[in-house]
Amino acid sequence: MFGVFDILRDNWLLLLVGQYPSGPLGGISATLILSVLGIVLAFPLSVLLALARLSPWRALRWPATVLVYVVRGVPLLMVILWVYFLVPMLIGREVSGFTTMLCTLVIYEGAYLSEVVRAGIQALPKGQIEAARALGHSHLGTMWFVVLPQALYNMLPSMLSQFISTIKETTLGYVINVQELTFAANQINNQLLTKPFQVFFILAMTYYVVCFSLTQLALWLERRIAHKRLGAKAIPLTDGEAPPAPTVAAPL
Amino acid sequence: MLSPNPIAGRPSPDPSGQEDAMILFNQVDKWYGDYHALTNVCAEVKKGEVVVVCGPSGSGKSTLIRTVNRLEEIKSGQLLFDGHDIHAPMSSMALNKLRSRIGFVFQSFNLFPHLSVLENIMLSPMRVLGVRRTDAKAKAQQLLERVGLSSKAGAYPAQLSGGQQQRVAIARALAMEPPAMLFDEPTSALDPEMVGEVLSVMRSLADEGMTMMCVTHEMNFAREVADRVWFMDAGQILEEAEPETFFTSPQHPRAQRFLSDLRAH
Amino acid sequence: MKDFDLLAILLKPEFGAMLLHGVWKTLQIAIGSWLLAMTIAIVLLVVRLTPSRIAGRIVAGYVSYHRNVPTLVQLMLWYFGIFSLLPDALQGWLSEHNAETILSIVALGLCQAAYFSEDMRSGLRSIPAGQAEASRALGHSYIGSMRHVMLPQAIRNAVPALVNHSVSLFKNSSLAMAIGVAELTHAVKEIESQSFRAFEAYSVATVMYLIFSLVIMAVGAALSKRYSIVGAR
């Protein structure tokens, strides 16, 4: 255990930014950038998918449902393999591991996030939609002006949970040599060879601190939203120890 | 042992009457933190008596009735049920045994949704009292007939109306053959048209001589069935009287205000 | 794009063998870790229900660790880290007996146990308070209440979440590839690199994973229906 602080002292830069500037940006910076980009780009896709799944038009509903079920039913590694194979074929040139991972995350999280958005929309009292339609709004207008603003706000804690999942999913970039935190840790281990437990302990604890803090943030958000939506009598949806696991939690 | 009755003019209950007391409150006090929920409650329910407890919301009536089977704890004082000190320190086995002898009917029925109506009634005699399955079943069917729901033996709670569920809940409590029954606002969660069917079951129980303590807002029931009415406010029993006396000429000013508020409806 | 030629993969004996071996390994890991996870989850639940504050904290810590650390990292910590701390004799024995598979099962099982126990706990907490009161009021002991009233309802409530997490567990078996287990994803990656038929190879694996996932979900739906509370909306 005593090696932990030495390892940290010697390698903190690698863990923080990878081999930058003599290489691509790596370490935890890459992890966070990948996660943020992944979830931000996945978000519009997820809203579209959710709306498609709830739309009255079968031509939209079925493909969207199939896509979501397929992505939900297949391991993330498989999606990575597919993207690694298909994207260069589609755009005609080689893509970096980082781009591959980003595309994978966008598709994977897009599907899972669409379930969260869908749940949020369906949880809204029917009266909201009825009132909007009674006032003359079209289906899309109802969605845009009445349903989505409320649903998305209510689902913020769940979306934050998905973001935390995304951070955990970036670790699979290791398998295709994306220079994120797990890759950096393995580099250190391959150099040191004598202290594997300490290295991976540091790795685990780093992720733990990041994800745990975000989890606490999600909890705080959830309490705040419940309070706002329900007034002073708000009862948190969970026991105050874990935010609502996203309806389709992808533990990775 | 009993302190003098706080109502001026009424004589203290005679000591010999204490042997008939099914439920005895002796200087019972309860606090929720700083809030004094029950204040120096002294009262008794005699064997075969029907007592109705009424009062405005927040008066402590539900808290009072829940102390009888120790769903609520008390801070000081004594509570005897059929001679047993309910709040004395005791093993959980002993408490369970005592509870099995106190029938309790909840406002929200609390039937077990994963069991059929018949199974709901049979479960506790079998598992708590050790009654044999065939005997429990026969008793359950008898009780279902008693409350008018024989046809619903195989149904599940979610398939029944509120009034039907509450009648099953009464049968479930009766299956344990308790010497007394406690009712905590049994009809408050029911739609108006279903209140009558539950009250008539309660009335028939009273007619058979069951000792009953009911917290209820149903004033007609109180007038026609109760032997005595307790009026509670702010954790105290402010007035105890026979129904006719209570409803026509209440003594305590808060009781008077309560009744006139009710009539104003 | 080359012609889609599924049989080129399936018929070639060595590819067929790799696929079969991959499926077998995947099933080993998935079933092994599922059983381990369920067992530990029940233990965690029982510990959590004891009145001891410390026990509650320990379980909460266990759950917190396994939910916040990525599964792949947990796997690495077990295989590279904890393995190296084990006594030499144990290391030797494990190395001869599929260390990768065993450690995968251990890591994945312990991880999923955290999720399963939380699902069961939510199932318990979603039971209305009146149920416990009613059963205590009738004289049932704590254990009796649990056995006859609370747990039957808790399990019914928890089934959807448990099914979801079981599918996740199954998919997580693919992570074992990162520590060298020749499970299904590894197998098709190998086939692809040897035959250059990525489309066909990946499709086979995709279809297989989908079938497994759908089977698990169907079993869950059937269980849900069979034990559903009659009449509940």
Side-chain angles (χ1 to χ4, degrees):
Chain A
M1 274 314 288
F2 308 109
V4 170
F5 294 108
D6 293 330
I7 297 174
L8 267 176
R9 196 193 54 213
D10 295 333
N11 295 288
W12 65 275
L13 196 59
L14 186 67
L15 290 171
L16 194 60
V17 288
Q19 286 164 330
Y20 190 79
S22 44
L25 188 64
I28 200 168
S29 313
T31 295
L32 289 173
I33 293 178
L34 199 51
S35 315
V36 170
L37 275 178
I39 202 103
V40 163
L41 293 175
F43 180 69
L45 176 61
S46 69
V47 172
L48 287 173
L49 272 177
L51 289 177
R53 283 197 70 175
L54 291 172
S55 81
W57 302 294
R58 238 187 294 172
L60 279 179
R61 215 170 48 227
W62 282 7
T65 310
V66 167
L67 180 64
V68 171
Y69 265 94
V70 167
V71 173
R72 273 180 64 182
V74 157
L76 182 55
L77 262 178
M78 276 306 307
V79 182
I80 291 179
L81 290 181
W82 273 112
V83 171
Y84 202 68
F85 162 64
L86 282 177
V87 169
M89 224 168 56
L90 286 175
I91 66 170
R93 58 184 172 89
E94 285 296 313
V95 279
S96 69
F98 187 92
T99 317
T100 306
M101 197 61 208
L102 186 58
C103 292
T104 310
L105 285 176
V106 169
I107 297 172
Y108 197 73
E109 279 302 318
Y112 274 92
L113 208 55
S114 81
E115 291 290 86
V116 172
V117 173
R118 190 170 70 101
I121 293 176
Q122 286 178 319
L124 219 52
K126 269 224 163 91
Q128 293 290 304
I129 299 183
E130 289 178 350
R133 298 311 296 266
L135 285 160
H137 288 278
S138 67
H139 174 80
L140 284 175
T142 306
M143 282 294 155
W144 187 256
F145 294 109
V146 175
V147 176
L148 280 177
Q150 296 188 55
L152 295 176
Y153 181 73
N154 287 341
M155 295 313 275
L156 269 177
S158 290
M159 292 202 268
L160 190 50
S161 280
Q162 281 302 142
F163 176 64
I164 298 171
S165 286
T166 310
I167 293 179
K168 297 194 287 179
E169 284 153 17
T170 59
T171 56
L172 267 82
Y174 162 75
V175 172
I176 51 172
N177 293 332
V178 176
Q179 309 257 29
E180 41 71 61
L181 182 60
T182 308
F183 187 85
N186 273 283
Q187 270 187 313
I188 297 171
N189 185 47
N190 291 336
Q191 281 177 352
L192 275 178
L193 287 177
T194 48
K195 298 197 160 104
F197 179 79
Q198 286 86 330
V199 172
F200 287 105
F201 179 76
I202 293 173
L203 184 62
M205 284 303 117
T206 310
Y207 279 113
Y208 181 79
V209 165
V210 171
C211 294
F212 181 76
S213 319
L214 288 171
T215 306
Q216 296 305 111
L217 179 65
L219 264 173
W220 174 84
L221 247 182
E222 198 210 333
R223 275 195 291 267
R224 186 119 185 270
I225 291 179
H227 183 89
K228 262 200 165 162
R229 282 282 178 243
L230 302 174
K233 284 201 279 187
I235 307 160
L237 296 165
T238 58
D239 49 39
E241 280 173 34
T247 45
V248 194
L252 212 75
Chain B
M1 195 173 78
L2 277 181
S3 59
N5 193 297
I7 309 300
R10 286 199 50 197
S12 322
D14 63 326
S16 62
Q18 277 172 245
E19 276 105 54
D20 282 332
M22 181 60 77
I23 305 173
L24 189 66
F25 295 89
N26 188 13
Q27 296 181 307
V28 169
D29 270 283
K30 181 184 172 61
W31 275 270
Y32 278 125
D34 289 333
Y35 176 64
H36 202 173
L38 292 175
T39 309
N40 194 31
V41 175
C42 303
E44 60 164 1
V45 179
K46 296 200 187 62
K47 281 203 180 95
E49 251 200 319
V50 175
V51 168
V52 163
V53 184
C54 66
S57 21
S59 54
K61 346 186 263 295
S62 269
T63 310
L64 184 71
I65 200 173
R66 284 161 63 95
T67 54
V68 178
N69 70 345
R70 210 164 165 176
L71 285 176
E72 300 278 353
E73 296 287 339
I74 62 176
K75 200 68 195 269
S76 64
Q78 227 191 2
L79 218 177
L80 299 180
F81 181 88
D82 205 11
H84 296 98
D85 188 344
I86 299 281
H87 287 263
M90 62 174 84
S91 68
S92 46
M93 241 173 61
L95 181 57
N96 293 337
K97 192 138 186 274
L98 273 176
R99 278 182 172 154
S100 67
R101 302 197 62 236
I102 308 174
F104 199 98
V105 176
F106 294 85
Q107 178 176 351
S108 47
F109 342 129
N110 291 337
L111 290 182
F112 304 135
H114 59 299
L115 300 174
S116 72
V117 160
L118 204 64
E119 285 163 354
N120 257 279
I121 303 176
M122 284 165 59
L123 175 76
S124 312
M126 279 180 2
R127 301 294 179 186
V128 176
L129 300 178
V131 172
R132 278 198 345 248
R133 177 173 279 269
T134 37
D135 297 333
K137 191 164 183 195
K139 184 89 205 274
Q141 280 163 338
Q142 210 179 56
L143 285 168
L144 271 181
E145 193 164 333
R146 174 102 189 274
V147 300
L149 287 170
S150 314
S151 59
K152 297 286 183 186
Y156 281 79
Q159 296 168 317
L160 302 180
S161 73
Q164 291 169 329
Q165 288 188 53
Q166 192 63 299
R167 283 189 275 155
V168 172
I170 296 176
R172 180 177 67 172
L174 286 173
M176 305 295 274
E177 300 188 356
M181 290 277 284
L182 308 174
F183 293 84
D184 184 2
E185 303 215 33
T187 56
S188 297
L190 297 177
D191 290 336
E193 68 269 15
M194 294 193 258
V195 168
E197 69 197 56
V198 172
L199 289 180
S200 68
V201 170
M202 288 167 67
R203 180 184 305 226
S204 72
L205 272 179
D207 289 341
E208 288 171 12
M210 173 67 82
T211 312
M212 290 164 57
M213 183 175 165
C214 312
V215 173
T216 183
H217 293 295
E218 294 293 325
M219 293 302 133
N220 284 333
F221 176 81
R223 261 188 124 124
E224 292 165 27
V225 181
D227 293 313
R228 264 186 305 146
V229 173
W230 298 351
F231 173 75
M232 274 188 85
D233 195 8
Q236 285 178 286
I237 299 182
L238 296 176
E239 186 162 341
E240 265 187 69
E242 285 177 25
E244 216 37 60
T245 323
F246 178 73
F247 286 110
T248 49
S249 48
Q251 305 274 324
H252 200 282
R254 261 184 268 170
Q256 293 164 355
R257 199 170 56 208
F258 174 70
L259 285 175
S260 69
D261 281 346
L262 272 187
R263 281 190 200 107
H265 239 59
Chain C
M1 189 148 90
K2 293 188 220 147
D3 321 305
F4 188 84
D5 192 0
L6 202 54
L7 297 178
I9 308 186
L10 295 178
L11 282 187
K12 240 190 167 160
E14 62 256 35
F15 290 162
M18 282 164 78
L19 269 177
L20 229 51
H21 181 79
V23 171
W24 170 232
K25 275 285 169 199
T26 295
L27 284 175
Q28 263 187 329
I29 295 177
I31 295 176
S33 53
W34 192 91
L35 289 172
L36 182 62
M38 270 297 169
T39 314
I40 295 184
I42 294 176
V43 168
L44 286 173
L45 189 67
V46 169
V47 169
R48 197 135 199 196
L49 289 176
T50 59
S52 153
R53 268 262 198 94
I54 299 182
R57 292 257 170 84
I58 294 179
V59 174
Y62 178 97
V63 170
S64 181
Y65 170 79
H66 286 97
R67 283 167 69 143
N68 283 307
V69 176
T71 312
L72 182 61
V73 171
Q74 291 179 31
L75 200 51
M76 288 177 174
L77 186 58
W78 274 99
Y79 185 66
F80 298 120
I82 296 181
F83 181 79
S84 72
L85 293 179
L86 295 173
D88 286 331
L90 191 53
Q91 284 192 35
W93 183 87
L94 275 172
S95 303
E96 281 167 37
H97 291 90
N98 285 327
E100 297 87 8
T101 309
I102 293 180
L103 286 171
S104 303
I105 293 178
V106 167
L108 292 177
L110 288 178
C111 177
Q112 283 300 129
Y115 289 94
F116 282 165
S117 84
E118 282 298 288
D119 291 337
M120 294 186 207
R121 191 164 152 254
S122 299
L124 211 54
R125 292 181 73 101
S126 59
I127 301 176
Q131 291 293 303
E133 281 196 341
S135 66
R136 299 313 298 274
L138 284 159
H140 291 274
S141 65
Y142 179 71
I143 298 185
S145 298
M146 274 291 160
R147 212 180 122 204
H148 300 293
V149 176
M150 307 295 280
L151 284 177
Q153 296 186 57
I155 292 177
R156 284 165 169 85
N157 290 343
V159 163
L162 287 174
V163 166
N164 256 336
H165 284 135
S166 296
V167 171
S168 295
L169 178 118
F170 190 84
K171 299 197 305 176
N172 279 346
S173 64
S174 62
L175 293 176
M177 180 180 118
I179 59 170
V181 177
E183 45 71 63
L184 182 55
T185 311
H186 183 270
V188 294
K189 192 150 183 270
E190 273 304 301
I191 293 176
E192 184 266 334
S193 63
Q194 288 182 22
S195 70
F196 298 106
R197 291 191 175 275
F199 213 91
E200 295 86 333
Y202 294 164
S203 301
V204 171
T206 304
V207 167
M208 284 192 165
Y209 277 115
L210 276 177
I211 293 178
F212 286 132
S213 300
L214 289 173
V215 164
I216 297 177
M217 290 199 261
V219 169
L223 272 177
S224 228
K225 204 150 188 229
R226 166 118 170 53
Y227 290 105
S228 67
I229 294 191
V230 178
R233 263 157 279 121

